[in-house]
Amino acid sequence: MDMDRKKTKVTMQDIADHLKISKNSVSQALTGKPGVSEATRKLVETTAEELGYQYTKPRKQTEDTNQHPKNIALIASEYAFSLKSFFGEIYLSIEKEVKKRGMNLFIESVQIDASQESRLPELLKNHEIDGILVLSHVTTDYIISLINTGKPVVLIDHHDPLLQADAILTNNRFGAYNAVKHLIEDGHKEIAFIGDVEKSPSYQERLEGYSLALKRHNLVMNPDYIYSSIKEEQPNIFEIIFQSKELPTAWFCVNDGFGFHVLSGLQQKGISVPDEAAVCSFDNGQLSQISTPKITTMDIDLNYFGRKSVEQLLWRMDHKDEPFQEILLSPELLVRGSTLKGE
């Protein structure tokens, strides 16, 4: 086969056949045009050299190879940055992944007033930013102003119909479905939903998953057990528990904060968990782990969340004209003492 290569002129089609990719992708890689990832470009160049394909490396590509490392901006609200047990872990994973790839990470928290006025963050004015990560919810108008800069943007744990950008999300609907399914399989028919759905699209999606689980199991949704506009504050949650004449036998809580307060309120009212009532929450944060009993919850791989966000941003930099993508990461049910009798 080596003799045949010496006798026959190697073509782009030969490289494409060898790598099982399109001839167009080979052309884009060797001419320095956008449309292929950096990894594919290097693979094509190496294969071309091995097969003896003769071509002139574009000057622009040589210059790009030697230019400064990519600069990534991470933008979030002060509230998101304050949640160290959730968004803090995602941030640390992003930071680790960016450094591993030899890039620079610039961070800026967004003040509420700046967000409302759609002022661009200072780091976009002071640095050459190649791509933007937006962690959790800021405001739609503010994120649109970031998208309008023309720089690649990836949203993390947030999306909106008006935002034309990639998003890395938890599969909230199916996660909530599986949590409620667990409660139903434990014999519960009266299951409450508690959380503030106006706070985040994720919480609205968890309500939809809760509703789907009841419907699939032929259970009627009791409107008296839907607490969908409750603030995540202990007095509000305790008021529900202490003033209600009849309480459900199980609670699906939109996050671990709600789960912790519900568990505490039930116990203070003299209701044993899990013998008389079950509690299930979402996120697998610290509060679900330090409570007594520990709370059954949906676990989210926050390290993978961060890594996947960086990977998607780099892919978007090389594929600016591709359709926008929403990538759903599946949470895992962690069964603990708050739903297991005898634990």
Side-chain angles (χ1 to χ4, degrees), residues 2 46 55 134 143 157 171 179 182 193 270 333:
D2 289 340
T46 301
Y55 73 101
V134 182
I143 297 174
D157 197 44
N171 194 334
H182 166 68
F193 172 93
L333 177 69

Side-chain angles (χ1 to χ4, degrees), residues 86 89-90 157 169-172 206 282-285 297-305 329-332 334:
F86 188 84
E89 290 188 41
I90 296 177
D157 197 44
L169 307 163
T170 300
N171 194 334
N172 292 294
R206 292 172 193 179
F282 214 107
D283 293 341
N284 189 29
T297 188
M298 298 303 298
D299 179 48
I300 301 171
D301 189 339
L302 301 179
N303 287 324
Y304 185 62
F305 228 117
L329 307 183
S330 298
E332 178 184 359
L334 296 181

Side-chain angles (χ1 to χ4, degrees), residues 3 21 30 38 42 59 61 88 96 111 152 172 188 206 237 249 277 285 293 297:
M3 293 297 295
I21 60 176
L30 296 181
E38 189 60 30
K42 290 180 179 178
R59 180 180 299 177
Q61 187 174 344
K96 181 179 179 180
Q111 301 282 352
N172 292 294
H188 296 283
R206 292 172 193 179
I237 298 168
T249 64
T297 188

Side-chain angles (χ1 to χ4, degrees), residues 281-331:
S281 60
F282 214 107
D283 293 341
N284 189 29
Q286 186 177 20
L287 289 176
S288 71
Q289 301 172 37
I290 66 172
S291 62
T292 305
K294 294 181 180 180
I295 300 173
T296 293
T297 188
M298 298 303 298
D299 179 48
I300 301 171
D301 189 339
L302 301 179
N303 287 324
Y304 185 62
F305 228 117
R307 295 200 310 273
K308 191 63 180 176
S309 301
V310 175
E311 289 176 5
Q312 184 64 21
L313 183 60
L314 294 179
W315 181 88
R316 176 54 61 188
M317 290 178 184
D318 290 333
H319 300 82
K320 294 183 179 179
D321 296 327
E322 293 291 330
F324 295 115
Q325 301 180 2
E326 289 193 344
I327 299 174
L328 300 181
L329 307 183
S330 298

Side-chain angles (χ1 to χ4, degrees), residues 113-138:
D113 58 346
S115 172
Q116 291 171 341
E117 295 175 18
S118 297
R119 292 203 302 268
L120 291 175
E122 290 299 318
L123 63 82
L124 292 185
K125 303 174 185 177
N126 300 332
H127 301 280
E128 291 293 329
I129 299 298
D130 299 294
I132 302 172
L133 296 171
V134 182
L135 182 58
S136 188
H137 177 56
V138 186

